[in-house]
Amino acid sequence: MSGYSSGEQPEQGDVIKLNTNENPYPPGPAVAKALAALRVESLRRYPPPTALALRKALATLHGIEADNIVITNGGDELLRLLLATFVSPDECIATAAPSYSLYEVLAAAHGCSMQHYPLKADWSLPSNLAERLNADKVKLCFIVNPHAPSGALASAAQLASLARAFKGVLVIDEAYVNFVDPELDYNALPLIREFGNVLLLRSFSKGYSLAGLRMAYGIGPKSLIDPLQYKTKDSYNTDFIAQTLALAAVGDNDYAAGTWQKVRQQRAELRAALSALKLSSPPSQSNFLLVSVPAPHKAEQLYQGLKTAGILVRYFRLPGLDDKLRITIGAPEENQRLLRELGRLMQH
Ligand SMILES: Cc1ncc(COP(=O)(O)O)c(C=O)c1O
């Protein structure tokens, strides 16, 4: 099998990092305060095994029960647990492709097979997806919403009809959901009450500026959460420091929501400015844009040129994506530098 190839993570600071969809704003003052208040003695004991205090805070935030939530060491741990819990090696998982490439790495590691159903040209969900999933006896299907790498958003109604017809477990990977325009009123949470087969993934990495902490959670009916919580996850899968800081972040949700608003504003401005450079991208509900590079320019050359100038973006050498760049929305001055460099590189 091949492993997952993550975006570059340079060690020194003087690089503009627009390649791994991190939030350009730092975690809020409540997190900084909780970090400063940590006492070394608190590390002597094991952490709360199911992060109950954090689950309660998240349950209040979302209007659900703590039993509907499992806390994991990043979304990636939840994805791995989902396979370990609900899929046997002789069974099949699926996704609407292209999407998060970790899914196939996890399938290969688990020894199960994987189906890819191509998204439509406008990045919307494939037609008759539920029927095709059922015909292929798919046990678990991952749908990223808003979609990565395009930023397209499927409606909660579309997901509900998929959940209703699909016989397996539907995982809606909402790693980027915090950046959706509130005016769209997107909310997939009611699906966990309506259907026994829907589980949502949420992450602290992007929305809460805590990618370095490795915290995420699954939301679902108790029947899906319990086996993850009490059977397959490690007893102490998230550490005391991460639980404490994530709790502080949830306690100051307004700060995080302020960063989402700033990212949305920058997204609109950057998309317009890129399109003025003939770098068009589909409307994005996420914190990145998938930019098409027009001939005679080449996406890989622009990626390399930007890298030489100290700006990292993501280039995928994959069919359907190799003429595009995925660019994370940065802070205003980062986006300005990106635009200047792109303008310069495209003059040649
Ligand atoms: C679509 C998608 N799902 C899940 C994740 C996992 O995020 P994390 O493990 O940082 O919570 C990512 C990370 O980039 C992602 O892009």
Side-chain angles (χ1 to χ4, degrees):
M1 61 171 283
S2 316
Y4 177 71
S5 52
S6 42
E8 294 127 286
Q9 302 291 351
E11 297 226 333
Q12 55 7 341
D14 201 20
V15 167
I16 295 186
K17 252 191 112 275
L18 305 177
N19 65 335
T20 49
N21 301 337
E22 287 133 342
N23 192 317
Y25 301 102
V31 175
K33 201 167 152 206
L35 180 61
L38 278 169
R39 289 176 314 118
V40 73
E41 301 88 73
S42 59
L43 299 181
R44 188 173 62 80
R45 292 197 177 165
Y46 285 101
T50 68
L52 183 59
L54 178 58
R55 286 196 291 128
K56 283 184 175 163
L58 287 167
T60 306
L61 178 71
H62 295 308
I64 53 177
E65 302 299 319
D67 284 348
N68 295 123
I69 298 174
V70 61
I71 308 289
T72 59
N73 190 339
D76 290 347
E77 188 201 14
L78 177 61
L79 298 172
R80 187 184 291 269
L81 278 176
L82 286 164
L83 263 64
T85 311
F86 299 117
V87 184
S88 313
D90 59 349
E91 291 177 320
C92 178
I93 66 162
T95 194
S99 78
Y100 189 28
S101 55
L102 181 70
Y103 300 147
E104 55 230 41
V105 174
L106 294 175
H110 193 55
C112 66
S113 57
M114 175 146 191
Q115 287 280 359
H116 296 84
Y117 304 96
L119 290 156
K120 292 187 186 157
D122 65 355
W123 304 101
S124 59
L125 291 177
S127 308
N128 307 323
L129 182 56
E131 291 74 10
R132 291 156 79 185
L133 291 166
N134 290 338
D136 291 335
K137 298 200 168 31
V138 169
K139 190 68 190 295
L140 182 148
C141 177
F142 293 115
I143 298 293
V144 187
N145 204 45
H147 176 249
S150 72
L153 184 77
S155 69
Q158 280 176 292
L159 297 171
S161 46
L162 179 58
R164 189 172 296 116
F166 176 39
K167 296 200 174 97
V169 178
L170 177 63
V171 179
I172 306 172
D173 182 337
E174 294 191 330
Y176 300 99
V177 76
N178 304 116
F179 303 104
V180 173
D181 284 328
E183 304 86 75
L184 295 179
D185 258 341
Y186 169 81
N187 181 12
L189 275 167
L191 305 192
I192 66 142
R193 291 221 182 84
E194 194 175 347
F195 303 105
N197 63 340
V198 173
L199 194 137
L200 311 181
L201 177 152
R202 297 286 183 100
S203 175
F204 283 89
S205 294
K206 335 282 174 166
Y208 291 85
S209 313
L210 289 171
L213 202 61
R214 313 305 303 128
M215 283 295 263
Y217 53 106
I219 307 177
K222 202 170 170 316
S223 55
L224 293 183
I225 295 295
D226 272 1
L228 300 160
Q229 191 103 276
Y230 301 113
K231 291 185 182 169
T232 47
K233 83 167 185 61
D234 286 349
S235 329
Y236 307 105
N237 62 328
T238 64
D239 66 71
F240 180 76
I241 299 174
Q243 290 185 26
T244 307
L245 302 191
L247 185 60
V250 176
D252 192 9
N253 204 60
D254 287 352
Y255 169 85
T259 71
W260 309 338
Q261 179 49 33
K262 286 194 273 188
V263 167
R264 283 194 286 267
Q265 175 72 32
Q266 284 300 306
R267 177 174 73 200
E269 290 177 20
L270 183 62
R271 181 163 178 253
L274 286 167
S275 131
L277 291 173
K278 306 231 162 8
L279 295 165
S280 65
S281 55
S284 169
Q285 288 299 322
S286 198
N287 68 336
F288 49 78
L289 296 169
L290 186 64
V291 172
S292 292
V293 176
H297 303 287
K298 292 254 181 304
E300 188 163 15
Q301 270 168 11
L302 284 188
Y303 156 77
Q304 285 296 353
L306 287 171
K307 189 171 169 177
T308 308
I311 301 176
L312 294 177
V313 299
R314 197 75 191 263
Y315 171 69
F316 301 99
R317 200 173 290 112
L318 294 171
L321 293 175
D322 55 3
D323 60 345
K324 301 180 177 56
L325 296 174
R326 193 196 67 194
I327 304 179
T328 305
I329 312 298
E333 54 288 2
E334 296 177 317
N335 299 335
Q336 289 309 320
R337 263 226 23 223
L338 168 83
L339 288 165
R340 273 202 304 280
E341 285 303 333
L342 281 171
R344 191 181 60 80
L345 290 165
M346 291 177 75
Q347 273 170 2
H348 299 303

